[in-house]
Amino acid sequence: MGAVPSDIEIARAARKQPIFEIGAKLGIPAESLVPYGHDKAKISPDFIAAQKGRPDGKLILVTAINPTPAGEGKTTTTVGLGDGLNRIGKRAIICVREPSLGPCFGVKGGAAGGGYAQVVPMEDINLHFTGDFHAITAAHNLLSAMVDNHIYWGNALDLDLRRITWKRVMDMNDRALRQIVGPLGGVSNGFARETGFDITVASEIMAILCLATDLKDLEARLGAIIVGYRRDRTPVFARDLKADGAMAVLLKDAMQPNLVQTLENNPAFVHGGPFANIAHGCNSVVATRTALKLADYVVTEAGFGADLGAEKFFDIKCRKAGLSPSAAVIVATVRALKMNGGVAKPDLSQENVEALRAGCVNLGRHIENLQKFGVPVVVAINHFSSDTEAEVAAVKAYAAALGVEAILCRHWADGSAGIEDLARRVAQIAEDGTARFKPLYADDLSLFSKIEKVAREIYRAGEVTAERAVLAQLRSFEEQGYGHLPVCIAKTQYSFSTNPDLLGAPSGHVVPVREVRLSAGAGFVVAITGEIRTMPGLPRSPSAERIRLNAEGHVEGLF
Amino acid sequence: MGAVPSDIEIARAARKQPIFEIGAKLGIPAESLVPYGHDKAKISPDFIAAQKGRPDGKLILVTAINPTPAGEGKTTTTVGLGDGLNRIGKRAIICVREPSLGPCFGVKGGAAGGGYAQVVPMEDINLHFTGDFHAITAAHNLLSAMVDNHIYWGNALDLDLRRITWKRVMDMNDRALRQIVGPLGGVSNGFARETGFDITVASEIMAILCLATDLKDLEARLGAIIVGYRRDRTPVFARDLKADGAMAVLLKDAMQPNLVQTLENNPAFVHGGPFANIAHGCNSVVATRTALKLADYVVTEAGFGADLGAEKFFDIKCRKAGLSPSAAVIVATVRALKMNGGVAKPDLSQENVEALRAGCVNLGRHIENLQKFGVPVVVAINHFSSDTEAEVAAVKAYAAALGVEAILCRHWADGSAGIEDLARRVAQIAEDGTARFKPLYADDLSLFSKIEKVAREIYRAGEVTAERAVLAQLRSFEEQGYGHLPVCIAKTQYSFSTNPDLLGAPSGHVVPVREVRLSAGAGFVVAITGEIRTMPGLPRSPSAERIRLNAEGHVEGLF
């Protein structure tokens, strides 16, 4: 067996087809594609609107066990499954999120899949791409500037300077901006207050863009953003500042899905990328809905593990966008399951069936959870070369005991040829039509009860605690008419509990809700458990130090 | 005579040609164009490099009298002259600057020409365009993050926290960010210090991008940026932080010129847009040089009036890029000259030949100044419907007395048909080959002497003053090896003097140099006279409040 070249080597060797040919495969005429270079395009709003009457294809969610440093390969499997479905003769589109630019200069590499299951052009996708995130940054910061400008010119809306909740954003890992005081400098600059920056993917506008159904809905949601409160605690909205129209103008191109291709020249929509903690962590509704009109199968992914990502995909995105998934794939790796069974990272390459079996409880818990949403489940074992036959067999046996099939997938090394079995199984489940999707909780449950329901039934907490002030805040949201919204719980992605070190399948733990925030434009209430950073920092030796253009003008060091 | 529709109505009614057809007119093959939509494209670096051996066309500078609230129409005339040259059978390319996004939401409209002399698509050009400014913002702020990150992890380079000169930027009018203190929040966020934000067009990286000759030169210039100083006053460079490579990666697409078209389907390069006060205020060297290889005539503009814009175009851009302009066009209007002659704005529509004659001293001074650079001059009288025949005749007579032709131009109302006379005259001057371009001062003059020379010979100051600390700073720049650099004087654009209310042709005034800054990457020393804002604010009722998408998805209120 020959060594697989690096992701970037594979991506550069890709024989890309012109993007108009990729569009043509989906029946999109050239004039309905807005090209960005020869290998990226946005789909025009007119074309999208014209698809309304067409029937929907089947929606497949790819999710995963809790992430570990061993790596699971969720995006890689999403891309691989899309290629696999195309290989077996189905017309499939992949829908994934856009990566954030800032973190590429820190520690992480790109987020466009890996091995022989990638979307390309990966360098562009990981850097400026089609400018969507820059547009979100601009729209967010326009609103911020209008808030301070309003105060500067007399504060007619009577905003309480201590209660301004709208911060600024930047698509950069810049911890120095987390907490600042400004404007300083006296009369000509404004009124000093405490504020700060989040990373762009944490902007409520990112979540709004990903949940809005069209430009009109986008503008309405932008107007509904709460920028802060008056002394009497009544909210001030973006529409009160008349900022909604200009923000929508800045976002009009960003709202259109981006079409690219996989290494195997199959179509992929890469669009939107909200955080999966303080937001819902899925690609845009517009992309998913458009893909469903154009394909028999749409394969999409949700952020982090299934406890966070899949739950939000179901309870926020599917609920609000009226989507009904046909099947869910849980990605697991032998290595990650062994970590869940207590094996340390340096020892992961040694066979350890016993630890693996112990770690399978994490997988089992996620299977059980997904079934609560009425969606049939299949497990994808994303193959690593160190996996032994006995280990793979143990995972299969574990899943089988739960009535679920676990299928070994070699898409990373072999592309679509390595994932045919999974593709056939997924297609069969979807065509059997056994899914009976329903969200976990009803809209009319109280906000705290919704949090409790997710914590108890998905995280398996014994108790949910909250200070009196937090409960009062939730009641006040309800009084203001936001009680019907779904909840979006920000929790560590590494454990079912709020303790990132508690791997496996803990239960009976306490989930403390430290803070709640209203994302009135996006349409959910965020409940924060534990410490959630919305502006990352750079490491001691950031990868930016090694990123440069080589003599041929290619990017080096990014991946 | 029918009324001319609004700029945006004209722009929307434009019959644009596909951008590949515009490229084909210049001999650029489709594969060397990187499309952004169907009406914008970047030109590939390989194609640009391949043009090296070709002869250069003739370079025409469009500059203006000092700006007044009456408006001069410099970009409009640049676009009109390009169309006019094409009309009379010359192959001409227009090279103008990209507008900044932030100010569009304040008071000003777009910056893509006006009437029947515009570049299109004007909405895109005025908003995100091809993402160049967003890339500059990202590259700038990556360096900022790396500065604070370096300090956070131990400050091995020993940067003095009080002497960090590199701030952050945002393409937004946000006065609240001018002066801030951060990072706050303790150990995990870093060491608090005073800092702030400039608007993106004021970034040194904008100037660097516009002066760099290719990607290699770009990276070298980025590395030469000084981010701050140690306690012993020795500089710390961006290359010391190993930030230059990653910044160049972020800027690799932004370095490529953007091709669009005029309303008459003639090619235009819209690329780069540095401030004309703390930077040199011209479009990119790469765009101008590439255009010269592809056309018989390249018509370009410089920022503000000729005292600032043309002087910097000659002394910084032409000197450094080895450009040799064949002619200069000074744009003047009857209205603006009347303001220079003391007429108040409400009275501008009444004929006033006497005031006009008095105001012509401003034009005369600029004519004299331009001639000092060895470049032949012609005056373009940009016609307004309120101009009377007697007034136009007076301007012509005034110019004629100085041996210069002043030509009435009606391109705003009539497109290229209205500017044929100017086009023919410019072509004749260029073909006569009388230009003997030379910069105003030699490289080896001391920095202060360079400032004095510009102030005395162009601004006609009687004296240049500077505090001892400023003089010491200049000497220290010289000791560090920067004495050969040109100077870039930041002065009010409204007057030859540093007092914006002093119109006409003042002389004998005092120019106080308040501060000097070294732009080591861009390659000039900035001398600040008077108060220069590098971060604008929004007005009481910003135009953002009126900008929105209409029912057809078109932008309203932007212009």
Side-chain angles (χ1 to χ4, degrees):
Chain A
M1 172 185 146
V4 173
S6 75
D7 287 359
I8 184 73
E9 284 166 342
I10 295 171
R12 282 217 186 107
R15 291 176 182 274
K16 285 179 290 186
Q17 290 176 355
I19 199 64
F20 291 109
E21 288 180 28
I22 303 295
K25 291 183 189 183
L26 300 175
I28 309 175
E31 61 271 22
S32 297
L33 287 177
V34 183
Y36 284 69
H38 300 280
D39 49 12
K40 307 174 288 295
K42 284 187 169 280
I43 301 170
S44 79
D46 295 347
F47 177 82
I48 290 173
Q51 309 309 306
K52 224 162 214 173
R54 294 180 59 167
D56 282 334
K58 292 177 191 308
L59 181 59
I60 312 297
L61 172 70
V62 176
T63 181
I65 59 172
N66 289 95
T68 69
E72 288 69 41
K74 196 171 52 196
T75 304
T76 304
T77 303
T78 306
V79 175
L81 178 56
D83 281 338
L85 285 163
N86 276 292
R87 184 183 185 91
I88 64 168
K90 310 292 181 189
R91 182 192 271 203
I93 301 179
I94 293 144
C95 281
V96 293
R97 291 165 291 164
E98 297 180 57
S100 179
L101 184 153
C104 290
F105 297 96
V107 283
K108 90 184 243 300
Y116 286 98
Q118 296 186 47
V119 286
V120 284
M122 79 179 286
E123 292 171 31
D124 292 357
I125 292 171
N126 280 295
L127 293 173
H128 306 294
F129 199 25
T130 59
D132 295 343
F133 287 17
H134 292 316
I136 290 167
T137 305
H140 186 115
N141 293 333
L142 172 62
L143 179 55
S144 314
M146 288 177 81
V147 168
D148 279 297
N149 191 57
H150 178 83
I151 296 164
Y152 178 88
W153 288 105
N155 197 10
L157 290 168
D158 201 25
L159 265 162
D160 184 340
L161 261 69
R162 304 161 307 174
R163 292 194 172 92
I164 295 170
T165 48
W166 192 253
K167 302 200 288 179
R168 286 172 176 80
V169 296
M170 189 183 278
D171 194 3
M172 201 52 71
N173 287 19
D174 192 350
R175 69 168 71 74
L177 291 176
R178 281 177 192 151
Q179 227 175 304
I180 61 171
V181 165
L184 302 176
V187 172
S188 61
N189 294 352
F191 294 84
R193 58 188 185 86
E194 271 192 68
T195 182
F197 282 69
D198 292 328
I199 192 163
T200 298
V201 288
S203 167
E204 184 180 345
I205 295 179
M206 175 67 84
I208 288 174
L209 184 112
C210 288
L211 289 167
T213 50
D214 56 24
L215 282 172
K216 222 182 129 170
D217 182 37
L218 175 79
E219 187 170 338
R221 287 171 179 267
L222 293 170
I225 290 172
I226 293 172
V227 298
Y229 297 85
R230 299 183 181 84
R231 208 173 247 275
D232 67 4
R233 312 284 175 101
T234 55
V236 174
F237 298 94
R239 60 175 171 261
D240 297 332
L241 292 162
K242 300 189 191 125
D244 42 344
M247 290 160 80
V249 165
L250 282 168
L251 294 168
K252 78 178 166 55
D253 299 329
M255 262 297 280
Q256 302 311 122
N258 305 300
L259 175 67
V260 292
Q261 62 192 291
T262 68
L263 292 174
E264 301 191 5
N265 310 123
N266 293 313
F269 286 173
V270 179
H271 193 221
F275 255 23
N277 44 40
I278 52 103
H280 62 293
C282 318
N283 75 296
S284 78
V285 165
V286 171
T288 303
R289 278 192 173 176
T290 303
L292 285 168
K293 295 296 180 194
L294 301 176
D296 305 322
Y297 285 86
V298 174
V299 185
T300 191
E301 60 168 351
F304 296 152
D307 53 333
L308 287 171
E311 189 275 321
K312 292 173 186 183
F313 174 77
F314 292 138
D315 279 327
I316 300 176
K317 180 173 175 176
C318 291
R319 177 198 303 262
K320 288 299 176 182
L323 302 172
S324 193
S326 296
V329 175
I330 306 187
V331 180
T333 61
V334 164
R335 294 161 62 86
L337 290 171
K338 282 195 284 193
M339 281 201 93
N340 267 287
V343 179
K345 204 178 169 192
D347 304 326
L348 285 176
S349 298
Q350 290 162 27
E351 182 178 275
N352 189 337
V353 176
E354 199 180 340
L356 175 73
R357 280 205 190 102
C360 274
V361 293
N362 187 270
L363 172 62
R365 173 70 64 79
H366 286 297
I367 291 173
E368 239 181 72
N369 282 349
L370 289 176
Q371 288 169 338
K372 292 185 181 178
F373 294 92
V375 176
V377 176
V378 56
V379 175
I381 308 172
N382 183 17
H383 182 255
F384 275 66
S385 54
S386 60
D387 301 350
T388 70
E389 272 182 46
E391 288 174 325
V392 170
V395 180
K396 288 185 177 185
Y398 181 87
L402 296 174
V404 165
E405 200 169 346
I407 298 172
L408 189 67
C409 302
R410 296 175 184 269
H411 47 287
W412 185 82
D414 299 334
S416 65
I419 199 169
E420 261 196 49
D421 290 348
L422 180 70
R424 286 189 201 285
R425 182 73 190 116
V426 163
Q428 193 202 314
I429 292 172
E431 274 148 38
D432 287 350
T434 53
R436 297 289 174 269
F437 169 69
K438 54 176 194 313
L440 189 72
Y441 51 81
D443 287 347
D444 60 5
L445 217 60
S446 77
L447 291 170
F448 192 72
S449 302
K450 288 171 184 170
I451 297 168
E452 278 196 312
K453 196 154 170 98
V454 174
R456 288 181 189 273
E457 298 197 19
I458 303 296
Y459 310 158
R460 313 298 174 100
E463 194 186 352
V464 179
T465 61
E467 298 281 336
R468 190 185 298 221
V470 168
L471 296 173
Q473 184 68 78
L474 286 174
R475 274 194 304 274
S476 129
F477 292 157
E478 285 164 350
E479 283 157 20
Q480 287 166 31
Y482 298 105
H484 65 289
L485 293 181
V487 294
C488 179
I489 303 180
K491 177 183 72 67
T492 175
Q493 67 264 41
Y494 298 111
S495 169
F496 279 103
S497 75
T498 57
N499 172 1
D501 299 327
L502 222 55
L503 305 191
S507 62
H509 45 271
V510 176
V511 170
V513 178
R514 302 197 180 182
E515 184 191 339
V516 289
R517 298 178 194 167
L518 174 58
S519 289
F524 50 71
V525 171
V526 181
I528 293 173
T529 72
E531 204 178 342
I532 302 293
R533 281 237 177 278
T534 47
M535 175 53 99
L538 291 171
R540 184 184 288 271
S541 171
S543 59
E545 295 179 355
R546 292 169 295 280
I547 293 173
R548 57 180 59 243
L549 295 170
N550 65 20
E552 291 82 48
H554 290 141
V555 178
E556 276 186 1
L558 188 52
F559 312 100
Chain B
M1 173 184 147
V4 174
S6 75
D7 287 0
I8 184 74
E9 285 166 341
I10 295 171
R12 281 216 188 109
R15 293 177 179 274
K16 285 179 290 183
Q17 290 178 357
I19 199 64
F20 291 111
E21 288 180 27
I22 303 295
K25 292 183 189 184
L26 300 175
I28 310 175
E31 63 269 22
S32 297
L33 286 177
V34 183
Y36 284 69
H38 300 280
D39 49 11
K40 306 174 289 294
K42 284 188 169 281
I43 301 170
S44 79
D46 294 349
F47 177 83
I48 290 174
Q51 308 310 306
K52 223 163 215 172
R54 293 181 60 167
D56 282 333
K58 292 179 192 306
L59 181 59
I60 313 297
L61 172 69
V62 176
T63 181
I65 59 171
N66 288 94
T68 69
E72 288 70 41
K74 196 170 54 197
T75 304
T76 304
T77 304
T78 306
V79 174
L81 179 57
D83 281 339
L85 285 163
N86 275 290
R87 183 184 185 90
I88 64 167
K90 310 293 180 186
R91 181 190 271 202
I93 301 179
I94 292 143
C95 282
V96 293
R97 291 166 292 164
E98 297 179 56
S100 179
L101 184 151
C104 290
F105 298 96
V107 283
K108 90 186 241 302
Y116 287 96
Q118 296 187 47
V119 286
V120 284
M122 80 178 285
E123 293 171 31
D124 292 358
I125 292 171
N126 280 295
L127 293 173
H128 307 293
F129 199 25
T130 59
D132 294 344
F133 287 17
H134 292 316
I136 290 167
T137 304
H140 187 116
N141 292 333
L142 172 63
L143 179 55
S144 314
M146 289 177 81
V147 168
D148 279 297
N149 191 57
H150 178 83
I151 297 165
Y152 178 89
W153 288 105
N155 197 10
L157 290 168
D158 200 23
L159 265 164
D160 184 339
L161 260 70
R162 305 161 305 174
R163 292 194 172 92
I164 295 169
T165 48
W166 193 253
K167 303 200 287 181
R168 286 171 176 79
V169 296
M170 188 183 278
D171 195 2
M172 201 53 72
N173 287 21
D174 192 349
R175 70 169 71 73
L177 292 176
R178 280 176 192 152
Q179 227 175 305
I180 62 171
V181 165
L184 302 176
V187 172
S188 60
N189 293 353
F191 294 84
R193 59 188 185 85
E194 270 192 70
T195 182
F197 282 69
D198 291 328
I199 191 163
T200 299
V201 288
S203 167
E204 184 179 345
I205 295 178
M206 175 67 84
I208 288 174
L209 185 111
C210 289
L211 289 168
T213 50
D214 56 25
L215 282 171
K216 221 182 131 174
D217 182 37
L218 175 79
E219 187 171 336
R221 286 170 179 269
L222 293 169
I225 289 171
I226 293 173
V227 298
Y229 296 84
R230 298 183 183 83
R231 208 174 247 275
D232 67 5
R233 312 284 174 101
T234 55
V236 174
F237 298 94
R239 60 176 171 260
D240 297 331
L241 293 161
K242 300 188 192 127
D244 43 344
M247 291 160 79
V249 165
L250 283 167
L251 293 168
K252 77 178 166 54
D253 298 329
M255 262 297 280
Q256 303 311 122
N258 304 299
L259 176 66
V260 292
Q261 63 193 289
T262 67
L263 292 173
E264 301 192 7
N265 309 124
N266 293 312
F269 287 174
V270 179
H271 193 224
F275 255 23
N277 43 38
I278 53 104
H280 63 293
C282 318
N283 75 297
S284 78
V285 164
V286 171
T288 303
R289 277 193 173 174
T290 303
L292 285 168
K293 295 296 181 193
L294 301 175
D296 306 322
Y297 285 85
V298 174
V299 184
T300 191
E301 61 167 351
F304 296 151
D307 53 332
L308 287 170
E311 189 274 322
K312 291 172 185 182
F313 174 77
F314 292 138
D315 278 327
I316 299 177
K317 181 172 174 177
C318 291
R319 178 198 302 263
K320 289 298 177 182
L323 301 172
S324 193
S326 296
V329 174
I330 306 186
V331 181
T333 61
V334 164
R335 295 160 61 85
L337 290 171
K338 281 195 284 193
M339 281 201 93
N340 268 285
V343 179
K345 206 179 168 191
D347 305 327
L348 285 176
S349 297
Q350 291 161 28
E351 183 180 273
N352 190 338
V353 176
E354 199 180 341
L356 175 74
R357 277 203 193 105
C360 275
V361 293
N362 187 268
L363 172 63
R365 172 72 62 78
H366 287 296
I367 291 173
E368 239 181 74
N369 282 349
L370 289 175
Q371 289 170 337
K372 291 184 181 177
F373 294 91
V375 176
V377 175
V378 57
V379 175
I381 307 172
N382 184 18
H383 182 255
F384 275 67
S385 53
S386 60
D387 301 352
T388 69
E389 271 181 46
E391 288 174 326
V392 170
V395 180
K396 288 185 177 185
Y398 180 89
L402 296 174
V404 166
E405 201 170 343
I407 298 171
L408 189 67
C409 302
R410 298 176 181 270
H411 47 288
W412 184 82
D414 300 334
S416 65
I419 199 168
E420 261 196 48
D421 291 347
L422 181 71
R424 286 188 201 284
R425 181 75 191 116
V426 163
Q428 193 202 318
I429 292 172
E431 274 148 39
D432 287 349
T434 53
R436 297 289 176 271
F437 170 69
K438 54 177 194 313
L440 189 71
Y441 51 80
D443 287 347
D444 59 6
L445 216 58
S446 76
L447 291 170
F448 191 71
S449 301
K450 288 172 184 169
I451 297 168
E452 278 195 312
K453 196 155 168 96
V454 174
R456 289 180 188 274
E457 299 197 17
I458 303 297
Y459 309 158
R460 312 298 174 100
E463 195 186 353
V464 179
T465 60
E467 299 281 333
R468 191 184 298 221
V470 168
L471 295 172
Q473 184 68 77
L474 287 173
R475 274 194 303 275
S476 128
F477 293 157
E478 285 165 349
E479 281 157 22
Q480 287 166 32
Y482 298 105
H484 65 289
L485 294 182
V487 293
C488 179
I489 303 180
K491 178 183 72 65
T492 174
Q493 67 265 39
Y494 298 111
S495 170
F496 279 103
S497 75
T498 57
N499 173 1
D501 299 326
L502 223 55
L503 305 190
S507 63
H509 45 270
V510 175
V511 170
V513 180
R514 301 197 180 180
E515 186 192 337
V516 289
R517 297 178 194 165
L518 174 57
S519 291
F524 50 71
V525 170
V526 181
I528 292 173
T529 71
E531 203 178 341
I532 301 294
R533 282 240 177 275
T534 48
M535 173 56 96
L538 292 170
R540 182 184 289 270
S541 171
S543 59
E545 294 178 355
R546 293 169 293 280
I547 293 173
R548 57 180 58 242
L549 296 170
N550 65 19
E552 291 84 47
H554 289 140
V555 178
E556 275 186 2
L558 188 52
F559 312 101

